């Protein structure tokens, strides 16, 4: 099945951002035969390097998750070092370096904790209505241990004034000028297309009990309506959605359709363990198909013309109009649904947040 999705992205060095529609996710051992070739093409890896990276990322994600729990307030984030194949765990206390290394990760001592950075994002979100239109978004940059705020070229002064008015610690924020302007597009299956009414098209993200998850703007920006599948057979309707603020929607399907824990290219969905910054991630969408990249940053706030969305994840996997709602998956673990982006980067809305908000359960393959 195919579907059109939206995707939006406000990033430093990006072109015009927009919303696209995507595809449902699927993956598990063995990996979909299309995944490794796509990683080879998009990440510049050999076949064996792609397999090794997936194994290293899985191990690094587990180490990072365990340390996040044990380090508490002094934890500041986890990223993946592709050169060493290890998790890089940032801490605010040098006394914890040996503990991090003993767990099998690389250690980095930083100034701001994860809680402090999250708090800064929340403060900026609370003042979002006062932000000038030239500010395209903000979010946590784990590698630099700062909040990265993007603003249109030549408008740095407006961004700095917004920061002062928000009352955040300016030393925790890096302002970057960009030419990218996020904007929405329409698309409507697990990578397959679905149609809203008689004209709008988006992509299915992931199968859940009784239906599927997709992008919220696919419902909000079209006015909703009856859904039909890639073959135009009656499919169902949206049961709940949210956009802006968030970007998720749940759709209930009729007896014509059976939710399957798989992406349309055969990749199986085994779960939804969150991958670390720096880990590889692949996307299935009805417009651009199967593309791969890496997770660049989390907790990103993106200001589309149609409204602001918080808590998103930034990647450099390629997407385009018609990919909205499609699947982002790392290995065999579901990550999120395509929201928007530009010609270089794309954002997805975290699947675990959407599952919790909609009260749905992921269908596993």
């Amino acid at each position: 099945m195919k579907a059109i999705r939206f995707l939006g992205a406000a990033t430093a060095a990006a072109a015009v951002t927009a919303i696209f529609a995507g595809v449902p996710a699927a993956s598990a051992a063995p990996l979909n035969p299309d995944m490794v070739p796509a990683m080879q093409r998009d990440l510049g890896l050999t076949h064996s390097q792609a397999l090794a990276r997936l194994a290293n990322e899985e191990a690094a994600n587990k180490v990072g998750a365990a340390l996040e729990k044990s380090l508490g307030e002094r934890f500041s984030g986890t990223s993946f070092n592709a050169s060493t194949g290890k998790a890089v765990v940032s801490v605010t206390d040098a006394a914890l370096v040996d503990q991090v290394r003993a767990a099998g990760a690389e250690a980095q001592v930083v100034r701001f904790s994860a809680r402090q950075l999250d708090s800064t994002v929340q403060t900026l979100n609370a003042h979002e209505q006062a932000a000038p239109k030239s500010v395209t978004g903000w979010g946590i940059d784990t590698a630099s241990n700062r909040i990265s705020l993007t603003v249109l070229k030549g408008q740095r002064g407006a961004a700095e004034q917004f920061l002062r008015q928000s009352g955040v610690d300016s030393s925790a924020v890096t302002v970057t000028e960009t030419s990218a302007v996020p904007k929405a597009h329409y698309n409507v299956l697990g990578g397959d297309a679905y149609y809203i009414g008689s004209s709008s098209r988006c992509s299915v993200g992931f199968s859940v009990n009784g239906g599927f998850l997709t992008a919220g703007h696919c419902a909000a920006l079209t006015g909703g309506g009856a859904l039909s599948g890639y073959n135009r057979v009656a499919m169902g309707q949206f049961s709940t959605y949210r956009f802006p603020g968030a970007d998720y929607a749940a759709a209930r399907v009729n007896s014509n359709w059976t939710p399957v824990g798989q992406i349309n290219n055969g990749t199986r969905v085994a779960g939804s363990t969150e991958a670390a910054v720096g880990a590889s991630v692949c996307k299935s969408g009805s417009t651009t198909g199967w593309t791969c990249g890496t997770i660049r940053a989390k907790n990103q706030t993106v200001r589309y013309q149609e409204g602001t969305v918080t808590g998103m994840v930034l990647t450099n996997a390629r997407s385009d109009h018609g990919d909205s709602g499609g699947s982002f998956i790392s290995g065999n673990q579901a990550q999120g649904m395509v929201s928007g982006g530009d010609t270089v980067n794309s954002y997805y809305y975290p699947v675990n947040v959407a599952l919790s908000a909609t009260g749905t359960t992921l269908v596993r393959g």
Side-chain angles (χ1 to χ4, degrees):
M1 298 179 178
K2 306 280 169 82
I4 297 186
R5 330 135 216 168
F6 301 87
L7 113 15
T11 69
V16 176
T17 38
I19 300 174
F20 311 126
V23 189
S27 139
L31 293 171
N32 172 323
D34 288 339
M35 177 179 281
V36 171
M39 290 178 68
Q40 291 178 244
R41 180 194 68 218
D42 295 343
L43 301 180
L45 304 174
T46 65
H47 184 272
S48 60
Q49 287 173 335
L51 294 177
R53 175 157 182 161
L54 287 169
N56 288 336
E57 289 174 352
E58 181 179 8
N61 291 339
K62 291 178 180 178
V63 170
L67 285 170
E68 179 176 2
K69 291 181 179 179
S70 63
L71 295 176
E73 298 269 346
R74 295 172 291 179
F75 172 82
S76 187
T78 300
S79 59
F80 178 73
N81 186 335
S83 298
T84 62
K86 291 186 176 183
V88 180
V89 175
S90 299
V91 294
T92 57
D93 187 346
L96 297 174
V97 168
D98 289 341
Q99 179 181 341
V100 172
R101 291 174 176 169
E106 298 173 12
Q108 176 175 266
V109 180
V110 296
R111 176 180 174 184
F112 301 104
S113 68
R115 178 163 296 186
Q116 289 174 310
L117 293 176
D118 284 335
S119 177
T120 300
V121 171
Q122 290 171 8
T123 299
L124 292 173
N125 289 348
H127 291 81
E128 186 270 333
Q129 292 296 319
K133 292 183 178 180
S134 57
V135 173
T136 61
W138 53 79
I140 296 173
D141 182 347
T142 302
S144 69
N145 190 232
R146 294 292 187 276
I147 301 301
S148 176
L149 181 146
T150 51
V151 63
L152 296 180
K153 289 183 178 179
Q155 299 297 312
R156 179 180 293 270
E160 293 173 343
Q161 182 177 1
F162 168 59
L163 292 176
R164 288 193 295 271
Q165 293 174 338
S166 300
V168 299
D169 180 355
S170 60
S171 67
V173 183
T174 299
V175 177
T176 304
E177 295 188 24
T178 178
S179 59
V181 178
K183 39 183 179 178
H185 307 293
Y186 299 91
N187 313 315
V188 172
L189 207 169
D192 280 356
Y194 69 92
Y195 297 86
I196 306 167
S198 60
S199 58
S200 299
R201 177 170 61 98
C202 275
S203 300
V204 175
F206 298 92
S207 290
V208 296
N209 54 305
F212 61 89
L213 295 179
T214 185
H217 67 260
C218 290
L221 301 183
T222 63
L227 306 181
S228 59
Y230 71 99
N231 52 5
R232 296 288 187 168
V233 171
M235 192 176 200
Q237 60 187 10
F238 292 115
S239 57
T240 185
Y241 64 87
R242 184 181 172 194
F243 178 87
D247 196 7
Y248 63 81
R252 295 197 63 79
V253 298
N254 58 35
S255 58
N256 291 329
W257 301 85
T258 301
V260 176
Q262 211 172 38
I263 294 178
N264 62 354
N265 59 9
T267 301
R268 184 169 69 89
V269 179
S272 57
T273 299
E274 183 178 338
V277 171
S280 63
V281 67
C282 294
K283 178 225 94 248
S284 181
S286 60
T287 298
T288 56
W290 188 248
T291 62
C292 298
T294 58
I295 296 174
R296 298 182 59 192
K298 298 184 179 183
N299 197 2
Q300 300 292 295
T301 296
V302 181
R303 303 182 72 209
Y304 298 124
Q305 291 182 346
E306 296 79 3
T308 297
V309 179
T310 64
M312 292 214 284
V313 179
L314 170 64
T315 83
N316 57 5
R318 182 170 53 86
S319 298
D320 208 337
H321 305 306
D323 289 334
S324 289
S327 315
F328 263 101
I329 193 163
S330 183
N332 290 115
Q333 300 297 312
Q335 298 300 308
M337 291 76 67
V338 176
S339 174
D342 50 44
T343 56
V344 178
N345 304 294
S346 60
Y347 290 102
Y348 65 79
Y349 194 79
V351 67
N352 286 330
V353 179
L355 288 168
S356 177
T358 58
T360 56
T361 302
L362 193 68
V363 175
R364 305 188 182 201

